[in-house]
Amino acid sequence: MNLEYFIAKRLITGKEHKISISAPIIKIAIAAIAIGVVMMLIAIATGVGLKYKIREKVTAFNGHVQITNYDNNSSEVSVVPVSKNQDFYPEFKDVHGIVHVQAVATKAGIIRTPDTFEGVIAKGVGQDYYWAPLKEYLVSGSLPDYTAELNSDVLISQITANRLKLEVGDSFFTFFLRDDDTEKIPNQRKFVVKGIYDSGFEEIDSRYIFIDIRHIQQMNKWKEDEVGNFEVFLESFDDIDEKSAEIYGKTLSNLDTKTLKDKYYKIFEWIGLFDFNIGLIIGIMIIVGGINMITALLVLILERTPMIGILKALGTTNWSIRKVFLYNATYLIGVGLFWGNLIGLGLIFLQSKYRMFKFPNPEEYYIEYIPVHIDVITILVLNIGVLLLCLLMLLIPSYIITKITPVKAIRFE
């Protein structure tokens, strides 16, 4: 039998433990651990959830990596076409981790209605376009179908629809400048609103409308196999830099690659701060919980000083006595972790299912509600880390036991 564990168990389960002087202090220490775990779980879930949601939104409209012609064009408008006759299209077999490649083209235009006008970027897409990520943001109508003959269906954002007072089924004219001669009359196209989307990402929603890529090919006088650029979707966002370098090495020398992080570097610099904030919160909570546990341990040692003296008189080593109190502290930390996980994960589940908490200023966070995301591995690592760090912090104060002499301890009151 483990003597230290046996004594610690008797101390925990004994009736005098519940009515002792240390009882309220122990409850405070357990509450501190529980509250700390709740705060850490919420910080991780909301920080990671917001980061993932923003990345997901930006990726849905751009892909992870863009393959373009090497030119001096820094705008979002396609100028020099790229041939679709590439080894990596429609399937990129030379690089693992790529799930989809699609050809697109963009062209600046002005939508004109009887009452007002609005500048937009028309994004031309074809039958290979990956619509699945956009389905979540569709608020009315349906997604266009560009698999058959050329049509005038268009997908616009809720912001653009509100500004131009357009609804599903309405038609409007859009004017596009001629690239070959700006003095000529602009190209004019009549489109019909097929669907309206709202991603909550104003930087994207206020710019893009989706049209059939064949309109842009005709206006730019491109061939059927010429497009503006390629968008590549990856299995994992975390591999974006590595895969971008691989893609660059597997494409022709006249082609360049650009990652999503390069295109929206300000946004990704901002969400990169989330990791620092999460780490800071976790560090503070562990320190607070550890200090409370140190206080509780010192009170337990003080309260059990006569017992320590008797054990020493019987020949028990200092380390064995320290282990008794460390076992006791482990139990208290475990109770705090249990209640902290129960409350924290419960709140995260409710927020994930019912979206109870929303941002007061959603336009600054690109999303209306507070997203949450957490996985089992993160939960396990967090709990094990809190337990180990708190126990390490308790090793030093437990050293006070070695300074207690048997004679003085037995006479201690």
Side-chain angles (χ1 to χ4, degrees):
M1 178 183 292
N2 189 324
L3 178 62
E4 297 86 355
Y5 176 75
F6 175 77
I7 297 173
K9 186 177 180 181
R10 290 296 300 269
L11 292 176
I12 294 168
T13 57
K15 292 182 179 180
E16 65 277 5
H17 173 73
K18 299 179 181 179
I19 59 174
S20 63
I21 300 174
S22 62
I25 298 175
I26 289 173
K27 291 178 181 178
I28 293 173
I30 292 174
I33 293 291
I35 293 171
V37 171
V38 171
M39 294 298 294
M40 287 186 281
L41 287 172
I42 292 176
I44 294 172
T46 54
V48 174
L50 184 59
K51 180 168 67 174
Y52 281 11
K53 200 64 181 178
I54 293 174
R55 292 194 325 195
E56 179 184 305
K57 284 190 175 186
V58 181
T59 303
F61 291 90
N62 299 273
H64 294 91
V65 180
Q66 295 185 343
I67 303 175
T68 61
N69 251 321
Y70 247 127
D71 56 39
N72 296 324
N73 176 34
S74 59
S75 69
E76 295 190 43
V77 178
S78 303
V79 178
V80 181
V82 184
S83 174
K84 291 171 66 175
N85 299 321
Q86 306 287 342
D87 293 338
F88 58 79
Y89 183 79
E91 293 184 14
F92 211 132
K93 299 180 180 179
D94 293 337
V95 178
H96 296 290
I98 294 178
V99 295
H100 183 69
V101 181
Q102 60 194 23
V104 300
T106 53
K107 192 171 182 67
I110 298 176
I111 298 177
R112 186 76 173 91
T113 65
D115 300 322
T116 185
F117 64 91
E118 187 75 22
V120 295
I121 294 177
K123 184 169 184 175
V125 301
Q127 59 183 1
D128 64 343
Y129 194 73
Y130 187 42
W131 289 108
L134 294 181
K135 290 181 179 179
E136 178 184 350
Y137 311 122
L138 191 68
V139 294
S140 61
S142 59
L143 295 172
D145 182 9
Y146 300 139
T147 58
E149 296 180 356
L150 176 66
N151 62 64
S152 300
D153 292 340
V154 63
L155 179 69
I156 66 173
S157 69
Q158 186 70 69
I159 293 176
T160 304
N162 291 340
R163 290 175 179 174
L164 299 173
K165 300 178 182 179
L166 294 173
E167 297 179 355
V168 174
D170 291 347
S171 60
F172 60 88
F173 287 97
T174 305
F175 299 90
F176 300 92
L177 289 177
R178 296 178 181 271
D179 294 333
D180 54 350
D181 191 349
T182 56
E183 295 182 359
K184 290 184 178 180
I185 299 175
N187 287 303
Q188 178 178 301
R189 290 291 188 279
K190 184 178 181 180
F191 295 114
V192 178
V193 179
K194 182 71 172 179
I196 298 175
Y197 72 90
D198 183 12
S199 71
F201 211 109
E202 186 175 354
E203 187 173 345
I204 293 176
D205 291 2
S206 60
R207 294 185 185 183
Y208 289 103
I209 65 171
F210 292 81
I211 67 173
D212 194 321
I213 193 173
R214 287 169 287 190
H215 286 293
I216 296 179
Q217 289 174 330
Q218 289 179 0
M219 288 186 287
N220 289 351
K221 297 180 180 179
W222 291 351
K223 299 176 183 179
E224 291 185 3
D225 64 342
E226 291 182 327
V227 296
N229 60 278
F230 298 93
E231 294 178 344
V232 182
F233 288 84
L234 306 176
E235 289 181 356
S236 173
F237 189 96
D238 297 330
D239 300 331
I240 188 169
D241 293 321
E242 177 187 347
K243 295 302 177 183
S244 177
E246 285 189 49
I247 292 170
Y248 181 80
K250 296 293 183 179
T251 54
L252 299 176
S253 59
N254 65 320
L255 297 178
D256 189 21
T257 59
K258 186 177 184 180
T259 68
L260 197 62
K261 292 163 65 175
D262 296 329
K263 187 175 182 179
Y264 296 97
Y265 66 93
K266 290 184 179 180
I267 293 174
F268 285 97
E269 281 185 358
W270 171 57
I271 63 177
L273 296 174
F274 294 174
D275 295 333
F276 173 78
N277 294 337
I278 292 171
L280 183 64
I281 292 172
I282 291 175
I284 292 173
M285 291 298 103
I286 289 177
I287 291 173
V288 171
I291 291 173
N292 278 275
M293 285 305 306
I294 289 172
T295 304
L297 181 64
L298 292 175
V299 172
L300 284 172
I301 292 173
L302 182 65
E303 190 178 49
R304 298 292 178 178
T305 300
M307 184 196 75
I308 295 173
I310 293 172
L311 289 174
K312 282 196 172 187
L314 293 173
T316 308
T317 63
N318 287 322
W319 176 239
S320 293
I321 300 173
R322 291 173 70 183
K323 284 171 67 177
V324 171
F325 289 95
L326 290 175
Y327 278 134
N328 204 334
T330 302
Y331 168 77
L332 300 178
I333 297 171
V335 173
L337 290 174
F338 171 78
W339 287 108
N341 281 277
L342 185 65
I343 298 171
L345 295 176
L347 290 173
I348 292 170
F349 172 77
L350 291 174
Q351 176 64 14
S352 176
K353 189 172 182 63
Y354 301 107
R355 298 178 178 177
M356 303 176 295
F357 302 101
K358 302 181 183 297
F359 287 115
N361 46 351
E363 65 279 355
E364 294 184 9
Y365 292 92
Y366 309 112
I367 189 169
E368 182 180 356
Y369 63 94
I370 300 176
V372 291
H373 176 86
I374 197 164
D375 54 70
V376 176
I377 295 177
T378 301
I379 296 170
L380 292 175
V381 170
L382 177 65
N383 281 271
I384 294 172
V386 170
L387 178 62
L388 293 178
L389 288 174
C390 285
L391 287 177
L392 286 173
M393 293 173 68
L394 294 177
L395 286 176
I396 297 175
S398 69
Y399 183 74
I400 196 174
I401 292 172
T402 63
K403 302 299 181 181
I404 299 175
T405 59
V407 175
K408 291 182 179 179
I410 294 171
R411 297 173 58 187
F412 180 82
E413 294 183 1

